[in-house]
Amino acid sequence: MDVVVLFFLLGLGARLAGSDLRLPEALYEALSIFLLLAIGMKGGVELAGQPLATVGPQAIAVIALGVLLPLVAFPILRSVGRLNRFDAGALAAHYGSVSVVTFAVAITFLTSRGVDYEAYFPVFVVLMEAPAIVVGIVLARRGAPGKPVAWGALAHEVLLGKSIVLLLGGLAIGWIAGPAGVVPIKALFMDLFKGVLALFLLEMGLVAGSRVGELRRYGVFLVAFGIGMPVLSAAIGIAFATAMSLSPGGTMLLATLAASASYIAAPAALRIALPEANPGLSIAASLGITFPFNITLGIPLYSHMAGWAATLGGR
Amino acid sequence: MDVVVLFFLLGLGARLAGSDLRLPEALYEALSIFLLLAIGMKGGVELAGQPLATVGPQAIAVIALGVLLPLVAFPILRSVGRLNRFDAGALAAHYGSVSVVTFAVAITFLTSRGVDYEAYFPVFVVLMEAPAIVVGIVLARRGAPGKPVAWGALAHEVLLGKSIVLLLGGLAIGWIAGPAGVVPIKALFMDLFKGVLALFLLEMGLVAGSRVGELRRYGVFLVAFGIGMPVLSAAIGIAFATAMSLSPGGTMLLATLAASASYIAAPAALRIALPEANPGLSIAASLGITFPFNITLGIPLYSHMAGWAATLGGR
Amino acid sequence: MDVVVLFFLLGLGARLAGSDLRLPEALYEALSIFLLLAIGMKGGVELAGQPLATVGPQAIAVIALGVLLPLVAFPILRSVGRLNRFDAGALAAHYGSVSVVTFAVAITFLTSRGVDYEAYFPVFVVLMEAPAIVVGIVLARRGAPGKPVAWGALAHEVLLGKSIVLLLGGLAIGWIAGPAGVVPIKALFMDLFKGVLALFLLEMGLVAGSRVGELRRYGVFLVAFGIGMPVLSAAIGIAFATAMSLSPGGTMLLATLAASASYIAAPAALRIALPEANPGLSIAASLGITFPFNITLGIPLYSHMAGWAATLGGR
Amino acid sequence: MQTHAKKLLVVITEGALEKLLARDVRRLGAHGYTVSDVRGGGEHGERAADWEADRSIRMEVIGDEAVIGSIAEHILATYCPNYAVSMYVSDCGVLRPHKF
Amino acid sequence: MQTHAKKLLVVITEGALEKLLARDVRRLGAHGYTVSDVRGGGEHGERAADWEADRSIRMEVIGDEAVIGSIAEHILATYCPNYAVSMYVSDCGVLRPHKF
Amino acid sequence: MQTHAKKLLVVITEGALEKLLARDVRRLGAHGYTVSDVRGGGEHGERAADWEADRSIRMEVIGDEAVIGSIAEHILATYCPNYAVSMYVSDCGVLRPHKF
Ligand SMILES: Nc1ncnc2c1ncn2[C@@H]1O[C@H](COP(=O)(O)O)[C@@H](O)[C@H]1O
Ligand SMILES: Nc1ncnc2c1ncn2[C@@H]1O[C@H](COP(=O)(O)O)[C@@H](O)[C@H]1O
Ligand SMILES: Nc1ncnc2c1ncn2[C@@H]1O[C@H](COP(=O)(O)O)[C@@H](O)[C@H]1O
Ligand code: NA
Ligand code: NA
Ligand code: NA
């Protein structure tokens, strides 16, 4: 198990044991700003050399994946989970969108094993943030009475939110500055990356630990969904990756993106656009179950699944 | 364009596009503490080897420059700008004093081009903080009725304010510890310097972006002053540098110091010592115009101007 | 004098000179979280190779030292200092427990002089946090009327408090990950350690400077105790270290742990468990006198004392 | 000290509403507002403020009885059904009545 | 705007008491509470909030007169003897009386 | 619960005035004060607290009517002309009257 995951377990264990340990909110925010910028920048540096002819079609496929996932999740949540349309739409939006930190742990997993991947993957992270949020809201509101969605305000909230601005900003900076240009700031943004990720995971463990208690309130379906949906999404992601001819590393990353559930961009956007949904439900599922599952068991599993798919496909 | 400047543009662009992206205030403060200490320390380490006979007269010249600049700015602000004496005095104080971050960007500019400079320059930054503030206040208050200036409180505010304490403290630590002594803390204070500067500039971009809107309220004179004054000050700075026989790098740095406008020490001191002045005016000018101008166009320009001066002077 | 100590003096001097310089509280907390984790992790990595047969008996001796020190301090505080039982118990608890930052400065002292020590020492730091707190409370409450101690709540407060959770968590992470496992996060937790310690000491200097004023209120006994007690404790610590056959470096470290007074775990626990004690008294002594004494004069002194002991013991 | 009677409205709610409320109170006639970060607990459970979706704010608005009344009614109708909101009104006196 | 009379209790005290007070007010019948970080000065000297043992909080509790009264009495008896505590009560009006 | 009538003064203003106000209120007879960091907007525009020159504070002072009155008058005369200041007074009850 990677050392960064141990930090998550430390936070989780400390909170479950009843410790009051808290990271100051400003530190949490600072670490997340750092991670978003660093991930974006790393991708941007690599984007320089890529032909648009390769990246373009892949980008479209990735957006389609982001649209498809909530369409798969919504009927499950409605019929099996018996959730109302608002809660179902909100959960579908969270699970169709992505978690940048899960992505960062997956990257750490690959690099520590020396597996290559399409280095411009952060572009896909940006592209998968928003579509599922829009689809989830449409699903919840479709045909429902009540106030119409303020799409303008929503676009503003999502596209100019922290995640996309910093990822995209990092991408642009990396792309403009190029490999040589970013050398002076490598010591901060590259060398410290894993240490910062470790600290952030400590905080995520504390937050996840606070959410575990709420799970009892929501019952066994939510736990099953929180584990089953990511695995299903990962399989769908692998199918897309195969169609996109991604490398084995890239296949595993796309599976992880599909499997991951948003807990930064989606909650903020949905609280405004879908206030009828219970935010506790989505966050208990995405932070209390799916995030811990993904970074401990999920990522190794998706790596195996990507391997099987490659074998099946005769690669 | 240096990569750190791209971070500024990211912040500026995000704010102008209407993003709510915010760096936590504690992060802003932490970064500024870091930069002040690191700049001071770097200068202090170098100061060890310098003969007082060289630095002493230069120090006096630099203080004279700090006194002269507000005397040049004040009449322009009064006659051309038609500002009242308080606003004119406050702006003159801001523009005569210095911006440490502009200085840091100028240093980055020089090092990335391999240009040498007098390494004890941070001493000059310290020396140029206060004089213009005092002169600006005297100009505003001279002959005016109303309460007298509490010079004691002002001296306390400026000399024991964050900027001077940390720059001077860093200088002293660097000087006492010497090059060997600072080795154990180099990984933090030296290696991360440019990355931290980049993050700080992201924040400055966000803040500057918030100020641009206010410019409309103050009109075209302020914009012209915010660009014209730094260029004029740079020219005066180059004249001083030539008289002081500074190296080409040092000439460019003194031009930048002269051109830069304070936005930490001066606003804090003037809010107390010159409450009649409108703080929005000074900050819109120094942060909304002069700072962006300096770090994007100004620094390359001052570098050229220093080059022309050297050619003229036959060096 | 190590460069990190200069940062302490800068903070102390700035505050005594009347500067308002403040580090944001979030930065203070972030730095302390970092230091606790990093110290723990460093110890954990080393613990891997240690036979339990060596560490076990030493651990018991260290706990005994933590129990003994408040028993020595309490009668002195009661009879010579004429303090009431609550204040005496609280001070005894602070001085029997340990200061992690003093320990960090001692480690810096040893490494900069190339002196070896038992690398698993952080285990001893954890073990010495709690015992003295319990003993101090028992001494204060013994036979006194009034509400009984809520030992459960106290155990929760101390054992799940920030210091022990992070030190122990760091130890566990270092131990599980091993030397190879921590490599990816070394750039943050190891390389930056001394720089972060320097910043933390700057803050400690500011806080200590604020406490010096209070000393006047408490009189000369407190000053004498704040210097005399650490030296006495260091001597006792050296006796224990000799009996435990520690290396010269380890002897000096145990002396420093004994001499150091807690200012994180103990104040928090005692404010709840011993509310009758005046918290200003303990903090003025431990932060206003003992901490500055230890990191400037104490640590070199304890190093000498450890040397004399080795000579006496014929080693 | 001559004071003029005004009303003070205090709203404690989710951080997500800050921008919306600031806009609403201005639109409904308030001359200003003040916000601080808080944490707490109520019928919607504990809000510990330990990460972004969990932040709470406390907004204070001083104004005429009519303005404060319409702001309170608006919040009651618009936000109370779906958000964690606590709200109370009290009397206060100001020295410069034109300001509020 | 139809409001119902309640009492507001404000307690300003040491950060160390936050958890204890949150538990106490719930136990004594309050439906909620709100906490913010403050600094200040009083008879126990300045509390500048510049490090952990020096933090102060401000807790606000809205409730019925009886509940607020018993909370205030409890704090007076339990914490005032040994801790830095300032406390005051004032009148307020709420729109949803069942909530408090 | 037996309470004694006092006045509560709340001042919302620029961070730059914190030290001055803390000194002034003590000098004019208050036994203490409490400060928190806030943000907000008023006639002097938005103060978003996103960097140092833009910080706002909220100061709370409890005291006798006379003391609170003289503090309010002093602030009105000294700071209101040149600084962004909002200020209001309300009634409150305290349990330990000697303390305030
Ligand atoms: N009785 C109360 N007294 C003070 N604050 C309260 C009270 N009830 C709720 N609050 C605050 O209002 C927020 C939202 O309340 P609620 O909708 O009841 O969860 C809580 O998180 C508390 O900060
Ligand atoms: N007269 C007062 N007005 C406002 N706040 C006060 C007053 N007196 C004390 N406080 C606050 O209550 C805390 C504890 O008060 P004390 O027990 O008097 O030291 C102080 O740190 C202040 O924050
Ligand atoms: N009507 C109001 N209600 C609440 N707070 C206000 C109000 N007006 C102004 N403020 C606060 O007082 C500060 C200074 O006000 P002003 O001088 O009107 O700009 C603002 O930044 C707000 O935080
Ligand atoms: Na997903
Ligand atoms: Na200048
Ligand atoms: Na000790």
mmCIF file with all atom_site columns, all heavy atoms in Angstrom, chain A residues 25 28 162 203 211 263 271 275, chain D residues 14 16 50-52 55 82-83:
data_model
loop_
_atom_site.group_PDB
_atom_site.id
_atom_site.type_symbol
_atom_site.label_atom_id
_atom_site.label_alt_id
_atom_site.label_comp_id
_atom_site.label_asym_id
_atom_site.label_entity_id
_atom_site.label_seq_id
_atom_site.pdbx_PDB_ins_code
_atom_site.Cartn_x
_atom_site.Cartn_y
_atom_site.Cartn_z
_atom_site.occupancy
_atom_site.B_iso_or_equiv
_atom_site.pdbx_formal_charge
_atom_site.auth_seq_id
_atom_site.auth_comp_id
_atom_site.auth_asym_id
_atom_site.auth_atom_id
_atom_site.pdbx_PDB_model_num
ATOM 1   N N   . GLU A 1 25  ? -8.802  24.864 8.428  1.00 0.00 ? 25  GLU A N   1
ATOM 2   C CA  . GLU A 1 25  ? -9.469  24.905 7.127  1.00 0.00 ? 25  GLU A CA  1
ATOM 3   C C   . GLU A 1 25  ? -8.589  25.577 6.078  1.00 0.00 ? 25  GLU A C   1
ATOM 4   O O   . GLU A 1 25  ? -8.596  25.185 4.918  1.00 0.00 ? 25  GLU A O   1
ATOM 5   C CB  . GLU A 1 25  ? -10.802 25.653 7.245  1.00 0.00 ? 25  GLU A CB  1
ATOM 6   C CG  . GLU A 1 25  ? -11.828 25.163 6.225  1.00 0.00 ? 25  GLU A CG  1
ATOM 7   C CD  . GLU A 1 25  ? -12.827 26.253 5.871  1.00 0.00 ? 25  GLU A CD  1
ATOM 8   O OE1 . GLU A 1 25  ? -13.188 27.036 6.763  1.00 0.00 ? 25  GLU A OE1 1
ATOM 9   O OE2 . GLU A 1 25  ? -13.216 26.321 4.694  1.00 0.00 ? 25  GLU A OE2 1
ATOM 10  N N   . TYR A 1 28  ? -6.325  22.998 4.616  1.00 0.00 ? 28  TYR A N   1
ATOM 11  C CA  . TYR A 1 28  ? -7.073  22.167 3.670  1.00 0.00 ? 28  TYR A CA  1
ATOM 12  C C   . TYR A 1 28  ? -7.219  22.880 2.325  1.00 0.00 ? 28  TYR A C   1
ATOM 13  O O   . TYR A 1 28  ? -6.949  22.305 1.269  1.00 0.00 ? 28  TYR A O   1
ATOM 14  C CB  . TYR A 1 28  ? -8.453  21.848 4.259  1.00 0.00 ? 28  TYR A CB  1
ATOM 15  C CG  . TYR A 1 28  ? -9.420  21.341 3.250  1.00 0.00 ? 28  TYR A CG  1
ATOM 16  C CD1 . TYR A 1 28  ? -9.413  20.007 2.880  1.00 0.00 ? 28  TYR A CD1 1
ATOM 17  C CD2 . TYR A 1 28  ? -10.323 22.193 2.641  1.00 0.00 ? 28  TYR A CD2 1
ATOM 18  C CE1 . TYR A 1 28  ? -10.294 19.543 1.917  1.00 0.00 ? 28  TYR A CE1 1
ATOM 19  C CE2 . TYR A 1 28  ? -11.203 21.735 1.691  1.00 0.00 ? 28  TYR A CE2 1
ATOM 20  C CZ  . TYR A 1 28  ? -11.184 20.415 1.322  1.00 0.00 ? 28  TYR A CZ  1
ATOM 21  O OH  . TYR A 1 28  ? -12.038 19.966 0.369  1.00 0.00 ? 28  TYR A OH  1
ATOM 22  N N   . LYS A 1 162 ? -13.438 26.575 -8.301 1.00 0.00 ? 162 LYS A N   1
ATOM 23  C CA  . LYS A 1 162 ? -12.035 26.321 -7.971 1.00 0.00 ? 162 LYS A CA  1
ATOM 24  C C   . LYS A 1 162 ? -11.419 25.214 -8.816 1.00 0.00 ? 162 LYS A C   1
ATOM 25  O O   . LYS A 1 162 ? -10.341 25.378 -9.392 1.00 0.00 ? 162 LYS A O   1
ATOM 26  C CB  . LYS A 1 162 ? -11.951 25.967 -6.486 1.00 0.00 ? 162 LYS A CB  1
ATOM 27  C CG  . LYS A 1 162 ? -10.566 25.735 -5.981 1.00 0.00 ? 162 LYS A CG  1
ATOM 28  C CD  . LYS A 1 162 ? -10.554 25.625 -4.467 1.00 0.00 ? 162 LYS A CD  1
ATOM 29  C CE  . LYS A 1 162 ? -11.157 24.299 -4.010 1.00 0.00 ? 162 LYS A CE  1
ATOM 30  N NZ  . LYS A 1 162 ? -10.939 24.063 -2.566 1.00 0.00 ? 162 LYS A NZ  1
ATOM 31  N N   . GLU A 1 203 ? -6.227  14.745 5.981  1.00 0.00 ? 203 GLU A N   1
ATOM 32  C CA  . GLU A 1 203 ? -7.441  15.529 6.183  1.00 0.00 ? 203 GLU A CA  1
ATOM 33  C C   . GLU A 1 203 ? -8.677  14.805 5.645  1.00 0.00 ? 203 GLU A C   1
ATOM 34  O O   . GLU A 1 203 ? -9.736  14.770 6.282  1.00 0.00 ? 203 GLU A O   1
ATOM 35  C CB  . GLU A 1 203 ? -7.286  16.895 5.485  1.00 0.00 ? 203 GLU A CB  1
ATOM 36  C CG  . GLU A 1 203 ? -8.559  17.687 5.308  1.00 0.00 ? 203 GLU A CG  1
ATOM 37  C CD  . GLU A 1 203 ? -9.083  18.317 6.585  1.00 0.00 ? 203 GLU A CD  1
ATOM 38  O OE1 . GLU A 1 203 ? -8.404  18.237 7.616  1.00 0.00 ? 203 GLU A OE1 1
ATOM 39  O OE2 . GLU A 1 203 ? -10.179 18.895 6.550  1.00 0.00 ? 203 GLU A OE2 1
ATOM 40  N N   . ARG A 1 211 ? -18.025 11.122 8.489  1.00 0.00 ? 211 ARG A N   1
ATOM 41  C CA  . ARG A 1 211 ? -19.204 10.804 7.699  1.00 0.00 ? 211 ARG A CA  1
ATOM 42  C C   . ARG A 1 211 ? -19.679 9.375  7.923  1.00 0.00 ? 211 ARG A C   1
ATOM 43  O O   . ARG A 1 211 ? -20.814 9.051  7.585  1.00 0.00 ? 211 ARG A O   1
ATOM 44  C CB  . ARG A 1 211 ? -18.891 10.961 6.200  1.00 0.00 ? 211 ARG A CB  1
ATOM 45  C CG  . ARG A 1 211 ? -18.418 12.332 5.832  1.00 0.00 ? 211 ARG A CG  1
ATOM 46  C CD  . ARG A 1 211 ? -19.528 13.340 5.961  1.00 0.00 ? 211 ARG A CD  1
ATOM 47  N NE  . ARG A 1 211 ? -18.956 14.645 6.279  1.00 0.00 ? 211 ARG A NE  1
ATOM 48  C CZ  . ARG A 1 211 ? -19.667 15.740 6.389  1.00 0.00 ? 211 ARG A CZ  1
ATOM 49  N NH1 . ARG A 1 211 ? -20.977 15.694 6.257  1.00 0.00 ? 211 ARG A NH1 1
ATOM 50  N NH2 . ARG A 1 211 ? -19.089 16.867 6.696  1.00 0.00 ? 211 ARG A NH2 1
ATOM 51  N N   . TYR A 1 263 ? -16.339 15.391 -4.842 1.00 0.00 ? 263 TYR A N   1
ATOM 52  C CA  . TYR A 1 263 ? -16.786 15.931 -3.553 1.00 0.00 ? 263 TYR A CA  1
ATOM 53  C C   . TYR A 1 263 ? -16.357 17.389 -3.399 1.00 0.00 ? 263 TYR A C   1
ATOM 54  O O   . TYR A 1 263 ? -16.379 17.935 -2.310 1.00 0.00 ? 263 TYR A O   1
ATOM 55  C CB  . TYR A 1 263 ? -16.252 15.099 -2.380 1.00 0.00 ? 263 TYR A CB  1
ATOM 56  C CG  . TYR A 1 263 ? -14.790 14.916 -2.480 1.00 0.00 ? 263 TYR A CG  1
ATOM 57  C CD1 . TYR A 1 263 ? -13.935 15.879 -2.038 1.00 0.00 ? 263 TYR A CD1 1
ATOM 58  C CD2 . TYR A 1 263 ? -14.285 13.802 -3.101 1.00 0.00 ? 263 TYR A CD2 1
ATOM 59  C CE1 . TYR A 1 263 ? -12.602 15.739 -2.198 1.00 0.00 ? 263 TYR A CE1 1
ATOM 60  C CE2 . TYR A 1 263 ? -12.945 13.652 -3.263 1.00 0.00 ? 263 TYR A CE2 1
ATOM 61  C CZ  . TYR A 1 263 ? -12.112 14.627 -2.806 1.00 0.00 ? 263 TYR A CZ  1
ATOM 62  O OH  . TYR A 1 263 ? -10.781 14.505 -2.985 1.00 0.00 ? 263 TYR A OH  1
ATOM 63  N N   . ARG A 1 271 ? -25.760 22.157 -4.452 1.00 0.00 ? 271 ARG A N   1
ATOM 64  C CA  . ARG A 1 271 ? -26.426 22.812 -3.325 1.00 0.00 ? 271 ARG A CA  1
ATOM 65  C C   . ARG A 1 271 ? -27.242 24.000 -3.803 1.00 0.00 ? 271 ARG A C   1
ATOM 66  O O   . ARG A 1 271 ? -28.281 24.330 -3.220 1.00 0.00 ? 271 ARG A O   1
ATOM 67  C CB  . ARG A 1 271 ? -25.366 23.254 -2.289 1.00 0.00 ? 271 ARG A CB  1
ATOM 68  C CG  . ARG A 1 271 ? -25.960 23.507 -0.932 1.00 0.00 ? 271 ARG A CG  1
ATOM 69  C CD  . ARG A 1 271 ? -26.365 22.221 -0.262 1.00 0.00 ? 271 ARG A CD  1
ATOM 70  N NE  . ARG A 1 271 ? -27.285 22.416 0.861  1.00 0.00 ? 271 ARG A NE  1
ATOM 71  C CZ  . ARG A 1 271 ? -28.594 22.212 0.791  1.00 0.00 ? 271 ARG A CZ  1
ATOM 72  N NH1 . ARG A 1 271 ? -29.163 21.839 -0.328 1.00 0.00 ? 271 ARG A NH1 1
ATOM 73  N NH2 . ARG A 1 271 ? -29.352 22.380 1.856  1.00 0.00 ? 271 ARG A NH2 1
ATOM 74  N N   . PRO A 1 275 ? -31.456 22.373 -4.615 1.00 0.00 ? 275 PRO A N   1
ATOM 75  C CA  . PRO A 1 275 ? -31.491 22.481 -3.153 1.00 0.00 ? 275 PRO A CA  1
ATOM 76  C C   . PRO A 1 275 ? -32.394 21.443 -2.490 1.00 0.00 ? 275 PRO A C   1
ATOM 77  O O   . PRO A 1 275 ? -32.203 21.145 -1.312 1.00 0.00 ? 275 PRO A O   1
ATOM 78  C CB  . PRO A 1 275 ? -32.018 23.898 -2.902 1.00 0.00 ? 275 PRO A CB  1
ATOM 79  C CG  . PRO A 1 275 ? -32.582 24.369 -4.185 1.00 0.00 ? 275 PRO A CG  1
ATOM 80  C CD  . PRO A 1 275 ? -31.947 23.586 -5.271 1.00 0.00 ? 275 PRO A CD  1
ATOM 81  N N   . GLU D 2 14  ? -25.974 28.030 5.814  1.00 0.00 ? 14  GLU D N   1
ATOM 82  C CA  . GLU D 2 14  ? -24.897 27.363 5.084  1.00 0.00 ? 14  GLU D CA  1
ATOM 83  C C   . GLU D 2 14  ? -24.052 28.359 4.305  1.00 0.00 ? 14  GLU D C   1
ATOM 84  O O   . GLU D 2 14  ? -24.581 29.310 3.730  1.00 0.00 ? 14  GLU D O   1
ATOM 85  C CB  . GLU D 2 14  ? -25.504 26.347 4.101  1.00 0.00 ? 14  GLU D CB  1
ATOM 86  C CG  . GLU D 2 14  ? -26.457 25.386 4.768  1.00 0.00 ? 14  GLU D CG  1
ATOM 87  C CD  . GLU D 2 14  ? -27.080 24.393 3.800  1.00 0.00 ? 14  GLU D CD  1
ATOM 88  O OE1 . GLU D 2 14  ? -26.544 24.181 2.707  1.00 0.00 ? 14  GLU D OE1 1
ATOM 89  O OE2 . GLU D 2 14  ? -28.118 23.824 4.160  1.00 0.00 ? 14  GLU D OE2 1
ATOM 90  N N   . ALA D 2 16  ? -22.873 28.144 1.495  1.00 0.00 ? 16  ALA D N   1
ATOM 91  C CA  . ALA D 2 16  ? -23.240 28.194 0.080  1.00 0.00 ? 16  ALA D CA  1
ATOM 92  C C   . ALA D 2 16  ? -24.181 29.351 -0.247 1.00 0.00 ? 16  ALA D C   1
ATOM 93  O O   . ALA D 2 16  ? -24.264 29.775 -1.396 1.00 0.00 ? 16  ALA D O   1
ATOM 94  C CB  . ALA D 2 16  ? -23.893 26.874 -0.335 1.00 0.00 ? 16  ALA D CB  1
ATOM 95  N N   . ASP D 2 50  ? -15.368 21.777 9.074  1.00 0.00 ? 50  ASP D N   1
ATOM 96  C CA  . ASP D 2 50  ? -14.017 21.277 8.802  1.00 0.00 ? 50  ASP D CA  1
ATOM 97  C C   . ASP D 2 50  ? -13.721 20.997 7.345  1.00 0.00 ? 50  ASP D C   1
ATOM 98  O O   . ASP D 2 50  ? -12.610 20.620 7.019  1.00 0.00 ? 50  ASP D O   1
ATOM 99  C CB  . ASP D 2 50  ? -13.626 20.107 9.702  1.00 0.00 ? 50  ASP D CB  1
ATOM 100 C CG  . ASP D 2 50  ? -14.642 19.006 9.678  1.00 0.00 ? 50  ASP D CG  1
ATOM 101 O OD1 . ASP D 2 50  ? -15.542 19.078 8.845  1.00 0.00 ? 50  ASP D OD1 1
ATOM 102 O OD2 . ASP D 2 50  ? -14.521 18.081 10.489 1.00 0.00 ? 50  ASP D OD2 1
ATOM 103 N N   . TRP D 2 51  ? -14.640 21.228 6.497  1.00 0.00 ? 51  TRP D N   1
ATOM 104 C CA  . TRP D 2 51  ? -14.276 21.290 5.065  1.00 0.00 ? 51  TRP D CA  1
ATOM 105 C C   . TRP D 2 51  ? -15.342 22.034 4.303  1.00 0.00 ? 51  TRP D C   1
ATOM 106 O O   . TRP D 2 51  ? -16.370 22.422 4.847  1.00 0.00 ? 51  TRP D O   1
ATOM 107 C CB  . TRP D 2 51  ? -13.948 19.917 4.504  1.00 0.00 ? 51  TRP D CB  1
ATOM 108 C CG  . TRP D 2 51  ? -15.143 19.108 4.222  1.00 0.00 ? 51  TRP D CG  1
ATOM 109 C CD1 . TRP D 2 51  ? -16.072 18.727 5.134  1.00 0.00 ? 51  TRP D CD1 1
ATOM 110 C CD2 . TRP D 2 51  ? -15.568 18.640 2.956  1.00 0.00 ? 51  TRP D CD2 1
ATOM 111 N NE1 . TRP D 2 51  ? -17.033 18.034 4.503  1.00 0.00 ? 51  TRP D NE1 1
ATOM 112 C CE2 . TRP D 2 51  ? -16.762 17.951 3.175  1.00 0.00 ? 51  TRP D CE2 1
ATOM 113 C CE3 . TRP D 2 51  ? -15.042 18.715 1.664  1.00 0.00 ? 51  TRP D CE3 1
ATOM 114 C CZ2 . TRP D 2 51  ? -17.453 17.357 2.138  1.00 0.00 ? 51  TRP D CZ2 1
ATOM 115 C CZ3 . TRP D 2 51  ? -15.729 18.115 0.639  1.00 0.00 ? 51  TRP D CZ3 1
ATOM 116 C CH2 . TRP D 2 51  ? -16.922 17.441 0.876  1.00 0.00 ? 51  TRP D CH2 1
ATOM 117 N N   . GLU D 2 52  ? -15.124 22.238 3.005  1.00 0.00 ? 52  GLU D N   1
ATOM 118 C CA  . GLU D 2 52  ? -15.878 23.292 2.336  1.00 0.00 ? 52  GLU D CA  1
ATOM 119 C C   . GLU D 2 52  ? -17.387 23.109 2.313  1.00 0.00 ? 52  GLU D C   1
ATOM 120 O O   . GLU D 2 52  ? -18.131 24.077 2.469  1.00 0.00 ? 52  GLU D O   1
ATOM 121 C CB  . GLU D 2 52  ? -15.345 23.584 0.928  1.00 0.00 ? 52  GLU D CB  1
ATOM 122 C CG  . GLU D 2 52  ? -14.809 22.378 0.197  1.00 0.00 ? 52  GLU D CG  1
ATOM 123 C CD  . GLU D 2 52  ? -13.831 22.772 -0.923 1.00 0.00 ? 52  GLU D CD  1
ATOM 124 O OE1 . GLU D 2 52  ? -14.061 23.746 -1.633 1.00 0.00 ? 52  GLU D OE1 1
ATOM 125 O OE2 . GLU D 2 52  ? -12.823 22.041 -1.068 1.00 0.00 ? 52  GLU D OE2 1
ATOM 126 N N   . ARG D 2 55  ? -19.302 24.495 5.717  1.00 0.00 ? 55  ARG D N   1
ATOM 127 C CA  . ARG D 2 55  ? -19.100 25.824 6.286  1.00 0.00 ? 55  ARG D CA  1
ATOM 128 C C   . ARG D 2 55  ? -20.435 26.500 6.599  1.00 0.00 ? 55  ARG D C   1
ATOM 129 O O   . ARG D 2 55  ? -21.399 26.352 5.862  1.00 0.00 ? 55  ARG D O   1
ATOM 130 C CB  . ARG D 2 55  ? -18.304 26.708 5.318  1.00 0.00 ? 55  ARG D CB  1
ATOM 131 C CG  . ARG D 2 55  ? -16.909 26.180 5.051  1.00 0.00 ? 55  ARG D CG  1
ATOM 132 C CD  . ARG D 2 55  ? -16.020 27.237 4.435  1.00 0.00 ? 55  ARG D CD  1
ATOM 133 N NE  . ARG D 2 55  ? -16.652 27.920 3.328  1.00 0.00 ? 55  ARG D NE  1
ATOM 134 C CZ  . ARG D 2 55  ? -17.143 29.163 3.387  1.00 0.00 ? 55  ARG D CZ  1
ATOM 135 N NH1 . ARG D 2 55  ? -17.030 29.878 4.488  1.00 0.00 ? 55  ARG D NH1 1
ATOM 136 N NH2 . ARG D 2 55  ? -17.695 29.695 2.326  1.00 0.00 ? 55  ARG D NH2 1
ATOM 137 N N   . ASN D 2 82  ? -35.340 24.352 2.197  1.00 0.00 ? 82  ASN D N   1
ATOM 138 C CA  . ASN D 2 82  ? -34.329 23.399 1.750  1.00 0.00 ? 82  ASN D CA  1
ATOM 139 C C   . ASN D 2 82  ? -32.947 23.559 2.376  1.00 0.00 ? 82  ASN D C   1
ATOM 140 O O   . ASN D 2 82  ? -32.055 22.774 2.085  1.00 0.00 ? 82  ASN D O   1
ATOM 141 C CB  . ASN D 2 82  ? -34.172 23.488 0.228  1.00 0.00 ? 82  ASN D CB  1
ATOM 142 C CG  . ASN D 2 82  ? -35.384 22.952 -0.498 1.00 0.00 ? 82  ASN D CG  1
ATOM 143 O OD1 . ASN D 2 82  ? -35.889 21.886 -0.147 1.00 0.00 ? 82  ASN D OD1 1
ATOM 144 N ND2 . ASN D 2 82  ? -35.872 23.692 -1.479 1.00 0.00 ? 82  ASN D ND2 1
ATOM 145 N N   . TYR D 2 83  ? -32.741 24.595 3.164  1.00 0.00 ? 83  TYR D N   1
ATOM 146 C CA  . TYR D 2 83  ? -31.420 24.816 3.726  1.00 0.00 ? 83  TYR D CA  1
ATOM 147 C C   . TYR D 2 83  ? -31.479 24.865 5.246  1.00 0.00 ? 83  TYR D C   1
ATOM 148 O O   . TYR D 2 83  ? -32.546 25.126 5.826  1.00 0.00 ? 83  TYR D O   1
ATOM 149 C CB  . TYR D 2 83  ? -30.819 26.133 3.205  1.00 0.00 ? 83  TYR D CB  1
ATOM 150 C CG  . TYR D 2 83  ? -30.556 26.141 1.725  1.00 0.00 ? 83  TYR D CG  1
ATOM 151 C CD1 . TYR D 2 83  ? -31.504 26.620 0.827  1.00 0.00 ? 83  TYR D CD1 1
ATOM 152 C CD2 . TYR D 2 83  ? -29.363 25.657 1.214  1.00 0.00 ? 83  TYR D CD2 1
ATOM 153 C CE1 . TYR D 2 83  ? -31.267 26.617 -0.547 1.00 0.00 ? 83  TYR D CE1 1
ATOM 154 C CE2 . TYR D 2 83  ? -29.113 25.654 -0.157 1.00 0.00 ? 83  TYR D CE2 1
ATOM 155 C CZ  . TYR D 2 83  ? -30.065 26.134 -1.029 1.00 0.00 ? 83  TYR D CZ  1
ATOM 156 O OH  . TYR D 2 83  ? -29.820 26.128 -2.372 1.00 0.00 ? 83  TYR D OH  1
#
